[in-house]
Amino acid sequence: MIVARIQPPAEMVHWWFATGFLVLGLLLLAEAVVGEEVWARRPWRRYLWPGFVFAMGILMFPVMTFFTSSTIHMVAHGTWAQVMLFAGGAELAVARGKLHSPRWRLCSAAALAVSGVAFLVHEQNDWLFSRAAFLHHVLGWTVLVCAVFPLVQAFRPRSTAAALGFAATFLVVAVLLYCDRDTAPIFGHLSYEAGVPHR
Amino acid sequence: MSADIAHSLERNRDAADAATRQRVRRARIVLALGPLTALAGVVWAVLQPWRITLLHPSGQGFWWLVSEPPLYVVLVGVLFRLALAPGIVADLLDEEEGEP
């Protein structure tokens, strides 16, 4: 009861994660523009985005605990937490030099694919049920389709197009998450079952 | 100097010039990323001023006063420009000069 009173609305958590994805997108975009060699000239910079993904994975666990209202919702958030730890951990190991093969980028591809499926499976409502439902569908398909970028990078690590696409994926995810509201219409549609727009 | 050597030197210089131009273009892109992000946040704030509750704080709770998404975007852009972009560009230009 006390936690429910002091915890922020769920939409704000989406905006905070949107900010995290915005940071990720900018880091990846800068790396894609200057190239991996220049990016890696300062050792700490190699750890930036993998570390950020890993930290966001850890932060997703409290979201899973405090902000989910159904089992499938909780499982989806738990899945995102785990795949972010998985992808972030693999990329950290590559940055550290413990792992060498570019094929480890397949972990990021798998993370995006699983995340997309989790979005689509756990959203039980139609596209135009509410803004949140619409965004879940768009996010799910976006993330699922964009898994092709790290997939290409695993086999063609110097592909600039794939690197730019990978970066753009996170920028698009950030924009979509910033659009989230707890109960809001989408294109003028809001199911009466969704509740009353509260703001 | 033979014509062959002269042509070869000219080709090398042209290639070096092209590489330099490309690096300068990349440096400009990196330097622009932060300001463009901040500008996006400012445009968003102008288009949807109600998303900045600090502009009308009366009756807002703590979380609504803390959550200012357009300002987050501006902040990310500014921090990227000030904290990361200069180092990235310096390394990019160092590479041009052949430093390790």
Side-chain angles (χ1 to χ4, degrees):
Chain A
M1 195 67 175
I2 293 171
V3 171
R5 267 190 215 153
I6 62 172
Q7 73 181 27
E11 56 197 335
M12 293 179 184
V13 180
H14 287 95
W15 302 339
W16 296 334
F17 270 83
T19 306
F21 283 115
L22 176 62
V23 172
L24 264 182
L26 282 179
L27 294 175
L28 285 165
L29 195 55
E31 184 181 7
V33 169
V34 299
E36 203 179 324
E37 290 78 11
V38 173
W39 185 260
R41 278 195 157 203
R42 301 191 191 193
W44 58 269
R45 219 158 40 203
R46 289 198 303 256
Y47 299 98
L48 260 183
W49 79 260
F52 221 83
V53 174
F54 198 84
M56 287 172 72
I58 291 172
L59 290 172
M60 187 61 84
F61 281 113
V63 176
M64 179 193 79
T65 306
F66 296 114
F67 289 91
T68 54
S69 52
S70 66
T71 304
I72 197 167
H73 206 194
M74 187 189 72
V75 170
H77 282 78
T79 304
W80 292 325
Q82 290 171 58
V83 296
M84 280 198 272
L85 291 179
F86 173 61
E91 295 289 351
L92 278 172
V94 171
R96 179 82 179 124
K98 300 281 185 187
L99 302 174
H100 302 285
S101 172
R103 302 283 192 274
W104 285 103
R105 184 52 61 89
L106 286 172
C107 295
S108 295
L112 284 182
V114 171
S115 296
V117 170
F119 267 116
L120 296 172
V121 169
H122 102 275
E123 179 52 61
Q124 299 291 295
N125 298 306
D126 292 332
W127 282 71
L128 297 180
F129 180 85
S130 66
R131 189 182 307 184
F134 178 83
L135 289 172
H136 277 86
H137 286 287
V138 176
L139 277 163
W141 285 112
T142 302
V143 170
L144 190 58
V145 170
C146 288
V148 74
F149 293 123
L151 185 68
V152 170
Q153 283 185 303
F155 296 97
R156 300 189 64 175
R158 303 187 77 85
S159 167
T160 305
L164 290 173
F166 191 42
T169 302
F170 294 105
L171 296 178
V172 171
V173 168
V175 171
L176 293 172
L177 284 174
Y178 275 132
C179 293
D180 186 65
R181 304 305 293 250
D182 281 349
T183 310
I186 179 70
F187 305 132
H189 295 270
L190 180 64
S191 169
Y192 68 91
E193 293 175 338
V196 181
H198 67 279
R199 224 180 145 81
Chain B
M1 183 184 295
S2 77
D4 283 346
I5 293 174
H7 285 303
S8 172
L9 287 174
E10 194 173 337
R11 273 198 302 273
N12 288 344
R13 199 178 58 227
D14 288 347
D17 286 348
T20 301
R21 278 198 300 274
Q22 191 181 32
R23 286 199 186 91
V24 169
R25 197 167 58 235
R26 288 178 177 187
R28 282 184 183 150
I29 292 172
V30 170
L31 288 173
L33 283 178
L36 284 176
T37 305
L39 180 65
V42 171
V43 169
W44 183 15
V46 170
L47 292 177
Q48 295 188 327
W50 58 88
R51 296 203 67 163
I52 300 185
T53 48
L54 289 173
L55 295 175
H56 43 90
S58 173
Q60 304 288 353
F62 170 76
W63 289 115
W64 282 104
L65 291 173
V66 169
S67 295
E68 313 286 341
L71 297 187
Y72 294 165
V73 176
V74 172
L75 187 66
V76 167
V78 169
L79 285 178
F80 182 86
R81 176 63 183 82
L82 296 180
L84 280 175
I88 298 169
V89 169
D91 289 342
L92 189 65
L93 299 179
D94 279 354
E95 190 191 45
E96 181 185 8
E97 290 162 12
E99 288 182 16

